Amino acid sequence: MSAIALLAEKFDRALIAAFGADFAGTDPLLAATNNPKFGDYQANLAMSLAKPLKQKPRDIATQIIAALDVSDFCEPPEIAGPGFINLRLKTSYLEAQLQHMLTDDRLGIPPIRDPQTIIVDFSSPNIAKEMHVGHLRSTIIGDAIARVLEFQGHNVLRLNHVGDWGTQFGMLITYLREVYPDALTKADALDIGDLVTFYKEAKVRFDDDEAFKEASRQAVVGLQSGEAEARQAWQLLCDQSRREFQKIYDRLDIQLEERGESFYNDALASVVHDLDALGLLQEDDGAQCVFLDGYTNKDGDPLPLIVQKTNGGYNYATTDLAALRHRVTRDRANRIIYVVDVGQSSHFEHVFQVARRAGWLTDAIEAQHVPFGLVQGEDGKKLKTRAGDTVRLRDLLDEAIDRAKADIEQRLASEDRSEPADFINHVATVVGLSSVKYADLSQNRTSNYIFSYDKMLAMQGNTAPYLLYAYVRIAGIGRKGGIDFNDFFSTVNTVITLTEQTELSLAKHLLGLEDVIETVAIELLPNRLCQYLFELSQKFNQFYDQCSILKAEETQRTARLQLCYLTAQTLRQGLSLLGINVLQRM
RNA sequence: GGGCAUGUAGCUCAGUUGGAUAGAGCAUCAGAUUCCGGUUCUGAGGGUCGGGGGUUCGAGUCCCUCCAUGCUCGCCA
């Protein structure tokens, strides 16, 4: 149990003892202090109880302290300012906790008591298109969220809701019939790049040519009703695209189960039918709609969610409703997380509302749209290539790796060091990919994010290379000292003792991982974990700067080696939750 | 016009249910090294938290209003 959870229990008992059972469950308003002179944690509840108790906050604090028994892990609490209760952890407690961490392969973090079934819906590229920069954030953030929830012990279903259905397909098939019919009947008749070109051309036709537009819509209807030729073409295109996606997922080490829009094809009619049976459906201009509560269009009229188009076809709202219903009734999800860009916020609000009114989504189930902002270039505009095209994901990753490689080669040259090519390639790959992931994850996902290779690959600052270097440094200590950390502590049995300020500061931070993971799981903000790991690296470097390790006297040497090892393990674990691998040397 | 988001140091951003003197990093300037990878560490300068009002013991955080930017507003996904 983390110190903060322990304190919360103790405060609850103290409140009951001091003010009676009515105060059971009162939030003690515990927080980490922002200044070490106030201790490690502060409880702010005395001020908030002033009104209900009709007493002065400081008097309340005095009574709480009198009833508070934290002596086995805290120094005597102090009252400060208007009524803050300041708490400082005992060094002996820190030492014991670290010792426990050392012997536990989950770093002292127990699996969650009540595991849920959680769906994380992320990445979701479109068939017949290449993955591009627009898929970057969903893929990276979604993976990190899934990893954190999995580590906690939840049953996580990672779903790739690929765009393999709908109008875009009608467009493409109609166009290929005209210009390249072979592609509809032969596997890999076209290169994926050509397919993208045809897609773009089809889109132009679709926007300009009414007859083409209508033919496309008919093709969709044909596809949705199972017409053989359309189905075959569709299958070929999907297979080809899928292989391309997989290359990216393999590089990024991302596991995903594909369950695209087409998966719900057979359920679409029943979604509409059931909405009708529930009395939620209305026809308007020939389309089947559910009119939304609380939303209006430009004219101030109620806004519809269209679930069946005038031509009888279904659209993405229908699919999303079908998917939601499936996830609740078949997958038995307790929580459904959609990692999709912020531009679709209102769409999700609409779909969730209809699902609630239909009774498919209940209060027992948490459906969450987890939005993220745009990836922008350094000019603050949407990221584009120099030619003005969308940036392909594989090019983006290649460039990050190429730049990382150039950095390494330059560094090796300046240090007069030489390494084999496969070492250089491996380091460049890990550094390049980690940098792209970390740069994205380290920002609050809700705001737009300015993409800069120079910043993400920098060795200084809150970057992947800085964290990786801290880990490499520790690995270097092991090599230098001839120590294999993995079995060192099973043969050496020395109690950790903490004396220096930098040791204490590092130790306290090491014990904070559990709280951070819990916060990330609730708020779904991976940048909190990044911040924690960055601070951990800083504290390690401060400790490293102040305290000699290999040359220290026993038993201090072993105790410090233990701190090194715990730091390395925490970095490795934390980074792995972000989808980032560590390096032994770089 | 409606809805949603964003606005914090020169730049990129944190800021947890309202808490103590608003924090990092980069950049700039000044320091540190018999030592385990200096890809490090220490310090300094730099802020009307978009403007204004309100709520209260206390507001970057909550409410109102205005301004700026972005996204979005029925048969694309």
Side-chain angles (χ1 to χ4, degrees):
Chain A
M1 193 189 289
S2 72
I4 206 155
L6 207 54
L7 281 168
E9 275 188 9
K10 297 287 187 184
F11 268 93
D12 201 47
R13 283 189 214 169
L15 276 174
I16 295 169
F19 304 116
D22 288 354
F23 289 86
T26 304
D27 188 343
L29 299 173
L30 286 161
T33 58
N34 56 8
N35 188 326
K37 78 178 179 190
F38 299 128
D40 299 314
Y41 298 100
Q42 61 187 56
N44 301 331
L45 80 168
M47 280 86 77
S48 68
L49 287 177
K51 266 189 187 160
L53 285 170
K54 293 182 180 143
Q55 295 182 43
K56 289 179 186 164
R58 286 190 72 106
D59 294 344
I60 295 169
T62 306
Q63 294 168 72
I64 293 172
I65 284 185
L68 186 68
D69 177 20
V70 291
S71 57
D72 43 336
F73 66 107
C74 286
E75 304 292 344
E78 289 172 11
I79 301 171
F84 299 107
I85 300 172
N86 291 338
L87 301 142
R88 191 182 302 273
L89 297 172
K90 279 187 172 170
T91 303
S92 58
Y93 167 79
L94 297 173
E95 291 165 351
Q97 290 300 107
L98 292 177
Q99 209 71 41
H100 171 59
M101 226 176 138
L102 209 49
T103 59
D104 185 279
D105 59 3
R106 288 179 57 93
L107 298 168
I109 303 172
I112 201 154
R113 287 176 300 275
D114 46 349
Q116 295 183 308
T117 295
I118 305 179
I119 289 173
V120 185
D121 176 326
F122 69 103
S123 196
S124 308
N126 292 318
I127 297 287
K129 287 197 207 169
E130 283 183 278
M131 287 182 77
H132 56 79
V133 63
H135 302 111
L136 181 68
R137 301 203 77 187
S138 177
T139 305
I140 290 173
I141 294 168
D143 178 56
I145 286 173
R147 285 172 186 263
V148 168
L149 296 170
E150 282 157 356
F151 177 75
Q152 283 197 309
H154 293 293
N155 171 31
V156 176
L157 189 54
R158 300 155 160 258
L159 291 183
N160 200 4
H161 191 80
V162 300
D164 62 357
W165 214 237
T167 308
Q168 84 232 16
F169 258 95
M171 246 162 59
L172 187 62
I173 289 173
T174 306
Y175 191 68
L176 287 174
R177 262 184 200 140
E178 269 182 34
V179 300
Y180 207 98
D182 271 1
L184 300 173
T185 53
K186 291 181 193 157
D188 300 322
L190 279 170
D191 181 82
I192 189 80
D194 294 334
L195 209 49
V196 172
T197 307
F198 282 129
Y199 182 89
K200 284 180 189 158
E201 290 170 6
K203 173 80 173 131
V204 172
R205 283 286 297 280
F206 185 84
D207 291 338
D208 298 346
D209 181 342
E210 270 307 316
F212 184 88
K213 193 179 238 178
E214 190 43 42
S216 299
R217 286 181 175 154
Q218 283 310 313
V220 177
V221 173
L223 186 62
Q224 294 184 345
S225 62
E227 195 180 278
E229 187 212 356
R231 288 301 284 241
Q232 190 200 359
W234 170 78
Q235 194 66 52
L236 291 173
L237 296 171
C238 287
D239 287 345
Q240 189 174 0
S241 295
R242 200 171 284 133
R243 288 197 300 275
E244 292 297 317
F245 298 159
Q246 197 55 46
K247 288 181 195 165
I248 299 277
Y249 295 135
D250 288 346
R251 288 176 86 177
L252 292 174
D253 187 22
I254 284 170
Q255 305 291 321
L256 263 168
E257 185 172 323
E258 185 182 317
R259 205 188 269 179
E261 294 170 348
S262 63
F263 178 88
Y264 305 98
N265 189 36
D266 294 341
L268 300 177
S270 86
V271 163
V272 176
H273 175 269
D274 293 353
L275 288 172
D276 193 20
L278 288 161
L280 294 172
L281 215 56
Q282 287 178 47
E283 189 178 319
D284 198 72
D285 276 351
Q288 298 298 323
C289 311
V290 179
F291 283 92
L292 298 160
D293 292 335
Y295 296 90
T296 52
N297 64 16
K298 281 175 189 165
D299 304 325
D301 299 325
L303 195 69
L305 185 73
I306 294 175
V307 295
Q308 188 166 23
K309 298 185 279 188
T310 306
N311 69 0
Y314 304 104
N315 59 15
Y316 75 134
T318 330
T319 307
D320 282 347
L321 283 168
L324 186 50
R325 190 171 65 164
H326 189 277
R327 291 165 184 190
V328 172
T329 58
R330 300 294 181 82
D331 298 320
R332 304 237 159 237
N334 306 108
R335 188 178 182 192
I336 308 168
I337 292 166
Y338 295 85
V339 187
V340 180
D341 75 90
V342 66
Q344 299 196 41
S345 305
S346 51
H347 167 67
F348 281 106
E349 288 174 20
H350 299 167
V351 168
F352 292 164
Q353 184 196 108
V354 171
R356 262 186 224 103
R357 286 163 60 189
W360 300 334
L361 200 53
T362 64
D363 290 344
I365 300 154
E366 193 176 6
Q368 283 179 288
H369 174 216
V370 175
F372 54 85
L374 221 59
V375 179
Q376 299 173 315
E378 296 191 56
D379 57 359
K381 292 179 185 164
K382 194 171 173 180
L383 189 68
K384 298 261 180 184
T385 63
R386 231 170 267 161
D389 296 322
T390 305
V391 179
R392 297 192 303 176
L393 205 41
R394 60 184 237 224
D395 294 339
L396 184 149
L397 299 176
D398 283 344
E399 179 153 5
I401 293 168
D402 288 348
R403 288 183 184 229
K405 188 172 178 178
D407 283 351
I408 295 157
E409 284 170 340
Q410 193 186 6
R411 196 173 71 243
L412 291 177
S414 73
E415 290 174 6
D416 227 8
R417 211 175 121 193
S418 119
E419 297 285 355
D422 56 351
F423 173 85
I424 293 173
N425 287 332
H426 179 244
V427 172
T429 303
V430 172
V431 169
L433 297 178
S434 300
S435 297
V436 170
K437 287 187 180 186
Y438 189 84
D440 196 322
L441 293 168
S442 61
Q443 306 243 342
N444 186 318
R445 60 173 163 71
T446 53
S447 46
N448 291 343
Y449 141 62
I450 296 184
F451 190 95
S452 161
Y453 288 112
D454 288 336
K455 285 191 175 158
M456 68 178 69
L457 288 164
M459 301 290 180
Q460 297 87 7
N462 187 5
T463 64
Y466 179 86
L467 304 196
L468 292 173
Y469 176 66
Y471 185 90
V472 163
R473 233 180 180 177
I474 298 169
I477 293 169
R479 282 192 298 275
K480 183 83 175 189
I483 296 158
D484 179 356
F485 284 115
N486 290 319
D487 58 34
F488 182 67
F489 301 109
S490 57
T491 55
V492 180
N493 191 13
T494 302
V495 173
I496 296 176
T497 52
L498 303 167
T499 51
E500 301 299 315
Q501 269 314 306
T502 53
E503 292 177 309
L504 280 163
S505 174
L506 175 60
K508 285 172 184 173
H509 203 74
L510 282 168
L511 296 174
L513 181 63
E514 182 175 3
D515 287 334
V516 171
I517 288 174
E518 195 180 318
T519 304
V520 173
I522 294 168
E523 299 180 346
L524 306 180
L525 291 172
N527 65 302
R528 292 273 158 74
L529 179 54
C530 295
Q531 187 67 28
Y532 169 83
L533 294 172
F534 176 57
E535 286 169 5
L536 177 64
S537 304
Q538 283 183 312
K539 285 174 192 294
F540 173 75
N541 280 325
Q542 288 159 0
F543 157 72
Y544 178 92
D545 191 61
Q546 290 293 308
C547 301
S548 57
I549 296 158
L550 290 171
K551 293 188 176 171
E553 300 291 325
E554 284 299 354
T555 55
Q556 202 160 48
R557 180 176 184 269
T558 301
R560 286 180 178 171
L561 283 169
Q562 288 172 331
L563 280 177
C564 289
Y565 176 66
L566 286 173
T567 302
Q569 290 299 93
T570 303
L571 279 172
R572 195 172 60 85
Q573 179 65 65
L575 286 169
S576 91
L577 296 180
L578 300 174
I580 293 174
N581 291 315
V582 293
L583 291 163
Q584 298 305 311
R585 293 170 59 230
M586 65 191 281

